[in-house]
Amino acid sequence: MRLFLPFALCLGSALGASATSSSELDAWLQRTQAARSNELRSPASAPTARELQAGLGENELILVFGPSSTSQLAVAALRRDATLGPLPLDYAVERLERDVERLHSLLRSGSRPARGQLLRLTDALGDSLLGPVSELLRGAEAVRLLTTPPLDELPFAALRLPRSVDEQREHWVTRAQLCHLVTLMAPSSARRAPRTVLGGADPEFRRSELPLGASMSDAGVSWRRSAARRLEIEALGENFPTTLRLLGTELTAQALREAGAVDLLHLAADVEQGGDFERAALALSSGDPGAPPKRLRLRDAREWSESEDGLAVITGLSRTRSELSAGQENARNFLTSPQGPEQRLHSATHLAATLHGAGFSQVLTTLWRVPDESAPAFFRTFYEGLSNGRSAGAALRRAQRRMIESPVDAGGSGGPRIDAREPLFWAGFRLYSNCR
């Protein structure tokens, strides 16, 4: 049963809690936008709070997390007829960085003893980050988030709502569709069905250390992971019959360029990472099965792909260079430990900003590599919703809830059933969109 209080009560409480004038809020939004744009090296000016509110629907909300001081963060909430904040968070940036790192570590471990620790941490983060704006959070069915580091790496879908909003303390994604913003912008209602669809799956160019089941290898290519990735493209093709498929050595930079502008692009390929986003690159085929992969820098995305208001899906992005270990414990996969901060990809938001520059108004990527066993089932549900007219945000939430609510077929249709309720399987997906 959905918990909802009359919005008039929320409005009165919210206005009573906020002593910030509209001009002060606008000035803070501008500072937050400037900090965000500086990080992404793309200067931009923020709309005013009134302009942002004008584009919101009745049950839509914008949450903005930005700097309050050098060591603290603040949060502001905007609904169509109310604003709240910015309110300083009682959460030091240094502590928040440690907790985000710890959350990723718990998700990587995937063991049963970590379950209680994971829930306690998502409870604490939910209370600290969402509690101050809980009055405007009630009843919000679509939430747009603008975050700054270290929150860029936080899987918000896994946060548990404060008890004042949800007595059951469910994960946030069960109550609302969550979309991220690269920078603050007025919401748009434009949406069209994809016409030109391209899906590419590239084999992993190294041997799998712990293969799941049988594994064949040819010239250092692990076909085990290739098979799992191709199932993602099959899920795309099942719902969009005109899909152009580029599989294995067919997925080259030249083939991407020749495809022209696409409305829906899905790439299941490795992302090699250096010390930062400037050196992160897709590892694609050179066209020769025996040759090493060709690196295609993510920051040069507009040179190898283009769109006009399309959706791009990149599933090979992971937060560290660590690979997915093929171990299972209680139907959970786990990730190996990170190899150190020098192997860290700073932010998935950099990729979204680059793809926005290439014409993709919506970008779906991951904060970590999603287990092969669950990814095909996730994308079958996601693309089924998209092909039936759902927005990308609604299709994403539907797929995440399906993972939480019932076992899924591992690998593909007819495979063994696995329990995919753990956040490892569904919380890492992040959509950069207006939720429309």
Side-chain angles (χ1 to χ4, degrees), residues 202-206 218-221 249 251-252 272 282-295:
D202 201 59
E204 184 181 55
F205 282 83
R206 52 193 158 272
D218 178 22
V221 177
T249 55
L251 181 54
T252 64
E272 295 182 347
L282 282 167
L284 301 185
S285 173
S286 62
D288 180 355
K294 183 178 178 62
R295 300 181 75 254

Side-chain angles (χ1 to χ4, degrees), residues 327-340:
Q328 278 198 326
E329 180 179 350
N330 301 315
R332 302 178 184 93
N333 281 39
F334 58 90
L335 295 176
T336 56
S337 299
Q339 300 301 311

Side-chain angles (χ1 to χ4, degrees), residues 192-277:
R192 67 181 186 185
R195 297 186 299 272
T196 305
V197 182
L198 186 153
D202 201 59
E204 184 181 55
F205 282 83
R206 52 193 158 272
R207 295 180 185 274
S208 176
E209 296 179 1
L210 297 171
L212 287 176
S215 178
M216 295 178 293
S217 182
D218 178 22
V221 177
S222 170
W223 298 107
R224 177 191 61 82
R225 186 172 299 282
S226 176
R229 290 176 173 176
R230 292 178 188 221
L231 288 174
E232 295 182 23
I233 306 306
E234 283 188 15
L236 175 65
E238 287 171 4
N239 292 282
F240 299 96
T242 59
T243 297
L244 170 62
R245 295 173 174 85
L246 298 175
L247 304 177
T249 55
E250 298 173 347
L251 181 54
T252 64
Q254 183 62 29
L256 286 176
R257 294 187 185 100
E258 291 176 351
V262 297
D263 298 298
L264 174 53
L265 171 69
H266 183 127
L267 292 181
D270 268 354
V271 175
E272 295 182 347
Q273 299 172 31
D276 56 35
F277 182 75

Side-chain angles (χ1 to χ4, degrees), residues 28 32 35 64-76 86-97 100 125 128-129 132 146-152 154 156:
W28 182 79
T32 300
V64 181
F65 292 90
S68 172
S69 65
T70 55
S71 61
Q72 296 288 138
L73 291 175
V75 61
L87 304 175
L89 294 174
D90 186 20
Y91 215 130
V93 171
E94 184 177 350
R95 177 193 165 195
L96 186 56
E97 289 175 342
V100 171
L125 287 164
S128 298
L129 300 178
L146 181 82
T147 61
T148 53
L151 291 179
D152 263 1
L154 178 65
F156 278 87

Side-chain angles (χ1 to χ4, degrees), residues 290-306:
K294 183 178 178 62
R295 300 181 75 254
L296 209 60
R297 289 190 300 188
L298 295 182
R299 70 178 183 86
D300 297 331
R302 68 181 65 192
E303 297 180 8
W304 47 262
S305 187
E306 59 179 325

